């Protein structure tokens, strides 16, 4: 792809109308003629000033000299571009987009060259490729402009794709994602972010935020900085950092902007923070000063892998400017380093022979060549492309035809200084980064210690590898500052005002709600004994079966109502007892289903009244047995005291008393449906509140009192003649009845939710079946299966025997 672009750049079109250059031409700071000219656009000064700019510590001065060194090295080689010389034109942009575009225009127009005052408008530029700017915004402007003229731009830093664009440093997309994985690795899930207000910072931070959200990282604040901002804006950013609760800051910014920020941080002594940085500043030597280390102590971030450039340091130390050299950039650099001037009017005159070995600054330091090495690779990338192009041209035709179809990934791959240089289909190199940590060595010098690396070409989950043993002890690796946590059950997330959405308080859920795994309140499951569940259906079947069995026994007794066994013990009470047992079975159905106002009132009152009616009948039958036996004794007149009328009145009195109690209960404090949310935190239990617990226990206690009376009397009559009375059956039935209700009390209290209701229904059914089976089944057995025993003679036989023995 790069070869194709250079071919287009070298092509010559037909004659066009002549054009004239407007204004004064811009002279390059550094230049040299050659068969092929490479343009260089760098930031040799940080800002535009009205006075003559001075070079302080801008690292791109070293970049420019590295470009010159690479070109000189290539010109001296015979294996690359033999018999061909490379030249250069290098411009200074002062790190501004307008000057970067102006420099690109100057390179394309050939400004500064000896040429006629008018030129053909279609004349091709003498520049065959441009080594681009380190910052994204200027390079976008450059690539957009020169791309229209098919001039390739090879950048030693990162940028989004352009048709004629190549880069020797991987895309920031990978670095941003790697930073998110790094932050997650240390558990810093609550962070602040700072970015430069340019394409580098905005694009990089946007990718980081997206990746951070996927990793579960929450961002408390996102501040924007730029070197031309007012001091008030920087102070506002510092204030945000001071007031924030997060102790980890991810800064995706260029080093110049970070220098302006750190000045304010130093003035206010903002220390104790964990800084995570992008490659632009975290591995910049001019940022890593002893003074700045107070703020950035233990900083960690990704950097381009360090490398050596053999012969570069010697080249830098051998450069000698002169007032007549024409390289104004080198002259300015020299004047700044030695505080002299080639202008004789200055107090100290430069000779050009000053000793560079005595100078220790970024220009002479060749130990950290992370970005510098990529400038070196960028020059060699163009040189190899030109070399392949010239080789194709020498082959006259077939090679050029095939070259047009060559894939980019096959064109620009080469080995340089032991490093395999290759590009993918987008013009990007493989994404590999060193993970560096700021550490202070024993000599008090800040070092960028490599503690791991990131390689995007490795499989997912294995791309990020680090050695924790090498990390500086002061790095805030213990900080797990969280704005949020998992809310406790029964609470929900509530966003804090003025805070990010992931920063919240935990508020209690509303009544009837519960928090789920997403910390949101949802309605609890509703629980009650329903008709649809298996337990409810089983209870319904037994209730209906009991009612059916009671009705069947009633039918049998009605059919054989004139037989001695039916008439022997007050058939009227027997029919009334069977009727009450049928009601007892049916009243259990009111306990099943969703509680309502009417069902809650009906279930307890119906239960209380029907059971009192039932026990009253049993009590009446027990008394009749005792009275009947006493009446058979000579001279006994006891049956007159408890005849049929008295039996009816006793049953009616007992039942009316319970009915009156239930009426007062319903009027004063009736039962009502309620939602029980305290017994079980996960479900809402729909149940019937008693309204009055006292009334409930009075109703229950009254049934118990009658049951005990009935049991005692039946127990006393248990030894009467078997053929005559049913006392022993009543005794056994009451024993079952009382046993059921005694065990009911602890079971009722301990059963949770709907099982409380199920226990009560079971007690009703069990006690009702106990009475029905123990009292009536023996009689039905005789009536239906042993009719010969259903006679007065059989019933009176034992009583006559007892009387004769007395």
């Amino acid at each position: 792809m790069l070869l194709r672009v250079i071919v287009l750049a070298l092509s010559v079109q037909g004659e066009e109308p002549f054009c004239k250059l407007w204004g004064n031409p811009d002279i390059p700071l550094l230049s040299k003629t050659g068969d092929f000219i490479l343009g260089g656009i760098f930031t040799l000064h940080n800002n535009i000033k009205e006075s003559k700019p001075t070079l302080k510590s801008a690292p791109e001065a070293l970049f420019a000299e590295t470009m010159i060194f690479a070109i000189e090295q290539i010109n001296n080689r015979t294996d690359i571009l033999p018999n061909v010389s490379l030249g250069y034109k290098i411009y200074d942009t002062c790190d501004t987009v307008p000057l970067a575009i102006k420099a690109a225009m100057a390179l394309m127009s050939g400004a500064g060259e000896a040429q006629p005052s008018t030129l053909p408008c279609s004349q091709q530029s003498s520049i065959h490729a441009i080594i681009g700017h380190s910052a994204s915004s200027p390079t976008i402007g450059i690539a957009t402009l020169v791309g229209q003229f098919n001039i390739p731009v090879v950048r030693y830093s990162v940028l989004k794709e352009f048709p004629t664009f190549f880069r020797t440093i991987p895309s920031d997309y990978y670095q941003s994602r790697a930073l998110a994985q790094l932050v997650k690795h240390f558990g810093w899930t609550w962070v602040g972010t700072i970015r430069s207000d340019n394409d580098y910072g905005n694009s990089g931070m946007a990718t980081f935020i997206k990746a951070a959200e996927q990793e579960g990282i929450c961002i408390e604040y996102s501040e924007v900085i730029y070197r031309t901002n007012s001091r008030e804006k920087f102070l506002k950013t510092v204030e945000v950092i001071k007031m924030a609760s997060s102790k980890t800051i991810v800064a995706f910014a260029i080093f110049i902007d970070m220098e302006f920020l750190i000045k304010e941080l130093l003035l206010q002594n903002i220390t104790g923070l964990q800084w995570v940085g992008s490659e632009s500043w975290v591995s910049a030597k001019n940022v890593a000063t002893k003074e700045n280390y107070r703020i950035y102590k233990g900083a960690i971030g990704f950097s381009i892998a360090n490398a050596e450039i053999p012969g570069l340091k010697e080249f830098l130390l051998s450069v000698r400017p002169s007032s007549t050299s024409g390289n104004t950039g080198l002259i300015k650099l020299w004047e700044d380093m030695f505080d002299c001037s080639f202008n004789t009017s200055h107090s100290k005159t430069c000779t050009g022979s000053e000793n560079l070995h005595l100078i220790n600054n970024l220009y002479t330091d060749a130990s950290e060549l992370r970005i510098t090495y990529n400038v070196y690779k960028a020059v060699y990338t163009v040189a190899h492309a030109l070399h392949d192009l010239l080789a194709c041209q020498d082959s006259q035709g077939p090679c050029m035809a095939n070259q047009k179809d060559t894939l980019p990934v096959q064109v620009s791959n080469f080995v340089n200084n032991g490093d395999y240089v290759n590009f993918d289909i987008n013009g990007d190199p493989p994404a590999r980064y060193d993970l560096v940590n700021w550490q202070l060595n024993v000599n008090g010098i800040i070092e960028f210690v490599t503690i791991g690396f990131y390689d995007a070409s490795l499989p997912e989950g294995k791309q990020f590898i680090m050695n924790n043993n090498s990390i500086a002890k002061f790095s805030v690796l213990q900080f797990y500052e969280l704005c949020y946590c998992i809310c406790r059950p029964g609470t929900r997330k509530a966003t804090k005002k003025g805070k990010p959405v992931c920063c919240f308080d935990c508020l209690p859920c509303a009544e009837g709600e519960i928090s789920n795994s997403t910390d949101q309140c949802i309605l609890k499951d509703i629980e009650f004994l329903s008709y649809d569940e298996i337990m409810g259906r089983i209870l319904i079947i037994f209730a209906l079966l009991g009612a059916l069995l009671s009705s069947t026994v009633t039918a049998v007794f009605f059919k054989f109502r004139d037989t001695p066994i039916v008439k022997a013990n007050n058939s009227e009470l027997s029919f009334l007892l069977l009727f009450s047992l049928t009601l007892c079975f049916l009243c259990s159905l009111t306990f099943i289903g969703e509680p309502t106002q009417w069902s809650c009132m009906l279930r307890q009152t119906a239960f209380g009244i029907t059971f009192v009616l039932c026990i009253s009948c049993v009590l009446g039958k027990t008394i009749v047995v005792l009275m009947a036996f006493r009446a058979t004794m000579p001279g006994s007149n006891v049956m007159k005291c408890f005849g049929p009328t008295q039996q009816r009145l006793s049953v009616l009195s007992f039942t009316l008393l319970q009915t009156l109690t239930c009426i007062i209960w319903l009027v004063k404090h009736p039962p009502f449906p309620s939602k029980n949310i305290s017994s079980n935190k996960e479900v809402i239990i729909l149940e019937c509140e008693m309204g009055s617990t006292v009334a409930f226990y009075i109703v229950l206690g009254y049934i118990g009192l009658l049951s005990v009376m009935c049991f005692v009397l039946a127990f006393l009559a248990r030894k009467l003649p078997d053929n005559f009375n049913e006392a022993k059956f009543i005794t056994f039935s009451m024993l079952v009845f009382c046993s059921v209700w005694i065990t009911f009390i602890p079971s009722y209290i301990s059963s949770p939710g709907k099982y409380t209701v199920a226990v009560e229904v079971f007690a009703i059914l069990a006690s009702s079946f106990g009475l029905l089976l123990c009292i009536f089944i023996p009689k039905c057995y005789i009536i239906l299966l042993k009719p010969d025993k259903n006679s007065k003679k059989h019933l009176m036989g034992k009583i006559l025997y007892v009387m004769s023995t007395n």
Side-chain angles (χ1 to χ4, degrees), residues 6-70:
I6 292 178
V7 169
L8 290 172
L10 291 172
S11 64
V12 179
Q13 300 180 3
E15 295 265 338
E16 292 286 340
F18 285 91
C19 296
K20 184 176 181 180
L21 184 67
W22 285 2
N24 296 323
D26 291 312
I27 307 300
L29 289 178
L30 302 169
S31 63
K32 181 181 179 179
T33 60
D35 297 326
F36 294 95
I37 306 297
L38 304 185
I41 300 177
F42 301 96
T43 293
L44 302 180
H45 305 88
N46 291 346
N47 288 286
I48 301 174
K49 299 183 180 179
E50 293 182 0
S51 60
K52 185 177 180 179
T54 59
L55 181 64
K56 294 295 183 185
S57 59
E60 298 206 15
L62 180 59
F63 300 163
E65 291 297 332
T66 302
M67 177 180 173
I68 296 173
F69 168 72

Side-chain angles (χ1 to χ4, degrees), residues 4 35 46 59 82 95 102 116 156 276 366 392 474 478 483 548 552 590 612 650 686 756:
R4 285 185 238 154
D35 297 326
N46 291 346
D95 201 23
K102 188 177 181 182
Y156 55 92
V276 181
C392 286
F474 186 79
Q478 309 91 311
C483 178
L548 179 63
T552 302
T590 62
V612 165
S650 64
L686 298 184
T756 303

Side-chain angles (χ1 to χ4, degrees), residues 364-413:
T364 60
D365 184 7
S367 63
E368 290 287 338
L369 301 178
R370 301 176 188 273
I371 304 298
T372 307
Y373 179 67
N374 285 276
V375 178
Y376 182 74
K377 285 201 301 185
V379 175
Y380 266 88
T381 298
V382 177
H384 277 276
L386 285 169
H387 182 86
D388 293 343
L389 177 61
L390 294 176
C392 286
Q393 289 178 336
D394 291 342
S395 64
Q396 296 289 326
C399 179
M400 287 296 294
N402 294 336
Q403 188 65 56
K404 293 180 181 180
D405 298 326
T406 302
L407 296 175
V409 73
Q410 296 174 325
V411 173
S412 301
N413 302 346

Side-chain angles (χ1 to χ4, degrees), residues 298-301 435-439 447-451 470-472 475:
I300 194 171
L435 179 60
V436 297
N437 180 220
W438 284 31
Q439 298 184 20
E447 295 180 340
F448 302 134
V449 179
T450 301
I451 60 173
S470 304
I471 301 175
S475 297

Side-chain angles (χ1 to χ4, degrees), residues 328-613:
T328 56
L330 183 57
I331 291 173
K332 292 174 183 177
L333 171 64
W334 199 270
E335 290 177 339
D336 185 66
M337 284 193 298
F338 292 101
D339 193 23
C340 61
S341 175
F342 286 95
N343 189 340
T344 55
S345 61
H346 195 271
S347 58
K348 183 180 179 181
T349 304
C350 295
T351 63
S353 61
E354 286 80 6
N355 190 356
L356 281 172
H357 291 83
L358 301 176
I359 300 298
N360 184 18
N361 60 15
L362 292 177
Y363 180 79
T364 60
D365 184 7
S367 63
E368 290 287 338
L369 301 178
R370 301 176 188 273
I371 304 298
T372 307
Y373 179 67
N374 285 276
V375 178
Y376 182 74
K377 285 201 301 185
V379 175
Y380 266 88
T381 298
V382 177
H384 277 276
L386 285 169
H387 182 86
D388 293 343
L389 177 61
L390 294 176
C392 286
Q393 289 178 336
D394 291 342
S395 64
Q396 296 289 326
C399 179
M400 287 296 294
N402 294 336
Q403 188 65 56
K404 293 180 181 180
D405 298 326
T406 302
L407 296 175
V409 73
Q410 296 174 325
V411 173
S412 301
N413 302 346
F414 62 92
V415 178
N416 183 65
N417 194 27
D419 182 20
Y420 181 68
V421 181
N422 65 300
F423 302 92
D424 63 16
I425 196 170
N426 296 317
D428 295 332
R432 298 187 183 96
Y433 298 96
D434 283 348
L435 179 60
V436 297
N437 180 220
W438 284 31
Q439 298 184 20
L440 202 63
N441 63 18
V442 293
N443 299 320
I445 299 175
I446 299 170
E447 295 180 340
F448 302 134
V449 179
T450 301
I451 60 173
F453 69 90
Y454 177 87
D455 190 342
S457 64
L458 295 177
E460 192 74 27
K462 298 182 179 180
Q463 299 172 336
F464 178 56
I465 301 174
M466 68 173 300
N467 177 17
N468 291 330
N469 296 329
S470 304
I471 301 175
K473 293 182 179 178
F474 186 79
S475 297
V476 196
L477 303 181
Q478 309 91 311
F479 280 20
Y480 294 87
E481 183 69 40
L482 296 176
C483 178
Y484 61 91
C485 58
I486 298 176
C487 288
R488 294 179 179 179
T491 61
R492 63 177 176 83
K493 293 180 180 179
T495 304
K496 291 184 177 180
K497 186 177 182 181
K499 294 289 185 180
V501 292
C502 57
C503 186
F504 55 82
D505 290 319
C506 293
L507 299 181
C509 290
E511 182 178 347
E513 293 182 339
I514 189 173
S515 57
N516 59 6
S517 58
T518 61
D519 291 330
Q520 294 179 342
C521 289
I522 59 173
L523 289 175
K524 293 181 180 180
D525 292 334
I526 304 298
E527 181 182 278
F528 59 90
L529 185 61
S530 69
Y531 296 101
D532 298 327
E533 59 183 299
I534 296 177
M535 183 167 58
R537 291 176 179 176
I538 292 175
L539 293 175
I540 291 173
I541 291 172
F542 276 100
L544 296 177
L545 180 63
L548 179 63
L549 188 59
S550 298
S551 301
T552 302
V553 173
T554 302
V556 171
F557 267 54
F558 183 78
K559 182 177 181 181
F560 296 95
R561 61 186 179 276
D562 295 325
T563 61
I565 200 167
V566 176
K567 297 171 64 177
N569 194 248
N570 195 332
S571 60
E572 187 176 330
L573 284 180
S574 296
F575 285 113
L576 188 58
L577 176 58
L578 288 169
F579 173 71
S580 65
L581 284 174
T582 304
L583 294 180
C584 287
F585 284 116
L586 294 178
C587 83
S588 64
L589 299 177
T590 62
F591 289 81
I592 303 174
E594 183 177 351
T596 63
Q597 184 68 40
W598 287 103
S599 67
C600 288
M601 295 172 62
L602 179 62
R603 64 173 57 172
Q604 298 298 346
T605 54
F607 157 71
I609 295 172
T610 55
F611 262 77
V612 165
L613 177 61

Side-chain angles (χ1 to χ4, degrees), residues 253 275-284 288 299-303 436 438 448:
W275 289 86
V276 181
S278 60
E279 47 78 29
S280 178
W281 71 270
V282 81
S283 60
I300 194 171
F302 289 104
S303 173
V436 297
W438 284 31
F448 302 134

